[in-house]
Amino acid sequence: MPSASGAPLVVVTGAAGRIGRATAPLLPPAWRLRLTDLRAGALPGSELGVDALDVTDEAACTAAFEGADAVVHLAGVPDPAATWEQLLPANVVGTHAVAAAAVTAGVRRLVVCSSLQAVSAPPSEHQVRSEDPPRPANLYGATKGWAELVGSWVAATSTTSVVALRIGYFNEQAPPWPGTTPRELAAWLSVRDAAELLRASVEADLREADGTPVGHGAGFVVVGGTSAGRYRKADLATTRRVLGYRPLDDAWAGEPLP
């Protein structure tokens, strides 16, 4: 629950990773942030500190989440070419430990970062929708499908609501990039849109105006996580409606419409 001051405490795992270190300085100043990663230290490029947390240690996660209003779970191996041995600790065991700890600590909202890799097997011309079930083309994507399923379990069996973000191609620089592919352009997620996506995921109440549950019901929703490109790999209708997400960046900005 929020503190007596009304300022929510938001714990971020994997905060020293690419998305965490890029977005943390842009998150709402009204939040009290508790940034965590495998090693303690200073967040690169900012004055924010990072506490040590091994996400495979459920007891340590429970202690770190004590008093938190929300947990944003970014920690994990982000490589689509990773082996099972590389993925198992953080992506599989760690995801379960974080989810179980969030429930034990009474966290209101758990945000799990899935990936468009969880739905990478359909044809390339298929636009991914929130309702599409996981259909990965690699083991990394399979672990992200696991994260979505763990999120569903948490929401169905506890008071912790869950948002699963199917993150697209996160890149700190605006396109074009060397060797840019159409798929990367269509899946691009910019830094400021990533920060907005995290904000919306934590703050959304997941209910319609009449109070009925939104998304998949029972306090659980899977949403696409890309910028506002005109040719998007992921449909953002649910992300906008359910979370109030307001993306700004377009990979085709400056190019004339066809």
Side-chain angles (χ1 to χ4, degrees):
M1 297 296 292
S3 69
S5 67
L9 172 61
V10 179
V11 180
V12 181
T13 70
R18 287 181 61 201
I19 294 178
R21 65 175 180 261
T23 59
L26 303 180
L27 295 176
W31 290 4
R32 294 181 298 130
L33 285 176
R34 180 181 293 162
L35 305 180
T36 71
D37 207 286
L38 195 56
R39 296 177 181 82
L43 192 71
S46 81
E47 298 179 353
L48 298 171
V50 177
D51 297 331
L53 179 64
D54 180 352
V55 294
T56 68
D57 185 336
E58 185 177 331
C61 289
T62 301
F65 301 164
E66 185 65 32
D69 183 64
V71 171
V72 177
H73 181 42
L74 294 173
V77 174
D79 183 4
T83 65
W84 173 247
E85 291 74 20
Q86 292 169 323
L87 294 165
L88 178 60
N91 292 37
V92 179
V93 177
T95 295
H96 172 267
V98 166
V103 171
T104 300
V107 173
R108 175 190 64 86
R109 171 68 43 79
L110 172 63
V111 180
V112 293
C113 286
S114 180
S115 168
L116 287 180
Q117 292 289 338
V119 282
S120 55
S124 59
E125 64 272 13
H126 173 74
Q127 186 181 51
V128 176
R129 301 185 181 278
S130 173
E131 295 79 15
D132 291 346
R135 192 183 168 199
N138 51 60
L139 281 176
Y140 166 71
T143 68
K144 291 304 180 179
W146 158 253
E148 295 178 10
L149 297 174
V150 168
S152 175
W153 162 67
V154 165
T157 58
S158 75
T159 59
T160 299
S161 58
V162 180
V163 176
L165 302 177
R166 285 177 173 167
I167 300 292
Y169 179 71
F170 177 78
N171 196 310
E172 298 90 332
Q173 304 300 318
W177 313 284
T180 299
T181 67
R183 184 183 181 91
E184 289 168 347
L185 288 174
W188 181 45
L189 178 64
S190 70
V191 172
R192 65 175 174 175
D193 285 342
E196 162 63 7
L197 186 63
L198 296 182
R199 178 210 63 79
S201 299
V202 168
E203 295 184 349
D205 64 10
L206 302 190
R207 291 192 175 273
E208 301 281 13
D210 64 0
T212 58
V214 297
H216 302 281
F220 174 66
V221 66
V222 177
V223 296
T226 69
S227 284
R230 69 187 74 166
Y231 309 114
R232 293 187 299 275
K233 177 61 179 174
D235 176 65
L236 296 180
T238 301
T239 322
R240 294 177 188 269
R241 180 177 61 83
V242 174
L243 301 187
Y245 174 51
R246 303 184 296 266
L248 298 173
D249 293 313
D250 181 354
W252 287 270
E255 295 187 14
L257 291 171

